[in-house]
């Protein structure tokens, strides 16, 4: 397992983005941070205020609304397709600002020596959709969210 630290971003195919981050926390804690609305509200929106609606079950849906410092709100939604606690989540992901562009996200949680690697693979329908997401600032947003998660997890240990 790689050391804890910054987010790694890879583009393994022309329709995928893979984000990898190692966190200094056990897998059960990282899983809870990704599935419990009280935890999600503390980190997912880069530390900005976040409204969280989540029905965490296969077929259940989620919706997050981030309230940014610039006064704008950004909403994201999806549906849970597979859940294998505490190892894997497959869900759809759609930014409401670009409706109709739905990606499929697979999150895998791997623990070793009390640290957890989260690997998120997002698959897009087209090359253009993947490139639009990469060009949107997604990497910066994900990096900020995972930093906020790391800081939040440190308060729980």
């Amino acid at each position: 397992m790689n050391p804890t630290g910054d987010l790694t971003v890879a583009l393994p195919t022309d329709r995928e983005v893979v984000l990898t981050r190692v966190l200094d926390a056990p897998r059960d804690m990282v899983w809870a941070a990704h599935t419990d609305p009280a935890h999600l509200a503390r980190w997912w929106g880069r530390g900005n205020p976040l409204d969280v609606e989540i029905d965490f079950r296969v077929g259940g849906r989620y919706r997050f609304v981030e309230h940014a410092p610039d006064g704008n709100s950004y909403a994201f939604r999806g549906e849970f397709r597979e859940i294998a606690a505490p190892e894997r989540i497959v869900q759809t992901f759609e930014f409401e600002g670009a409706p109709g562009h739905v990606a499929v996200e697979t999150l895998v949680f791997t623990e070793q020596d009390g640290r957890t690697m989260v690997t998120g693979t997002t698959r897009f329908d087209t090359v253009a959709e993947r490139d639009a997401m990469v060009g949107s600032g997604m990497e910066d947003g994900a990096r900020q969210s995972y930093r906020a998660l790391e800081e939040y997890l440190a308060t729980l240990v």
Side-chain angles (χ1 to χ4, degrees), residues 4-57:
T4 56
D6 208 11
L7 181 73
T8 301
V9 179
L11 306 174
T13 71
D14 61 358
R15 292 179 29 211
E16 291 180 317
V17 175
V18 177
L19 305 177
T20 306
R21 181 68 152 79
V22 177
L23 299 155
D24 193 17
R27 180 169 62 179
D28 287 343
M29 187 180 293
V30 175
W31 176 267
H34 280 79
T35 60
D36 181 303
H39 292 311
L40 282 160
R42 298 287 301 273
W43 71 271
W44 195 91
R46 303 176 292 167
N48 293 324
L50 188 73
D51 299 328
V52 176
E53 298 171 25
I54 186 171
D55 179 9
F56 189 66
R57 62 180 175 82

